[in-house]
Amino acid sequence: RGSKSDRWVLRQPRRQMLVYLGVDKEFDLSSETGTFRVNVVNPRTGEATPGATVQAGSKVTLPNATILWLTKQ
């Protein structure tokens, strides 16, 4: 299991975030509100594929992907 230092986040608060998860798929959205679309980003092509939505306000488990782009719905 990886540490939090295995990840990085570029965040535009309350709008969107680009997340490199490393090996830990749990992500803390407790400082956000609302619903976010989880888009999986292909690291080779940069193509984003829309996925499920997650409810902010707590920790969530994200898909098994290296790079994700979360966008506020």
Side-chain angles (χ1 to χ4, degrees), residues 46-68:
E47 181 179 352
T49 303
T53 58
V54 293
Q55 185 63 42
S58 64
K59 291 183 179 181
V60 297
T61 300
L62 295 175
N64 188 20
T66 304
I67 302 173
L68 299 168

Side-chain angles (χ1 to χ4, degrees), residues 4-56:
K4 301 284 189 260
S5 64
D6 290 345
R7 78 170 49 141
W8 54 259
V9 180
L10 298 173
R11 184 183 304 249
Q12 182 181 22
R14 296 173 298 282
R15 305 252 350 247
Q16 63 183 339
M17 58 197 82
L18 186 66
V19 181
Y20 171 80
L21 281 177
V23 296
D24 187 0
K25 302 307 177 197
E26 186 174 79
F27 189 67
D28 190 355
L29 284 176
S30 61
S31 65
E32 299 285 347
T33 60
T35 303
F36 283 82
R37 168 81 50 203
V38 179
N39 304 287
V40 176
V41 179
N42 181 321
R44 289 193 174 100
T45 66
E47 181 179 352
T49 303
T53 58
V54 293
Q55 185 63 42

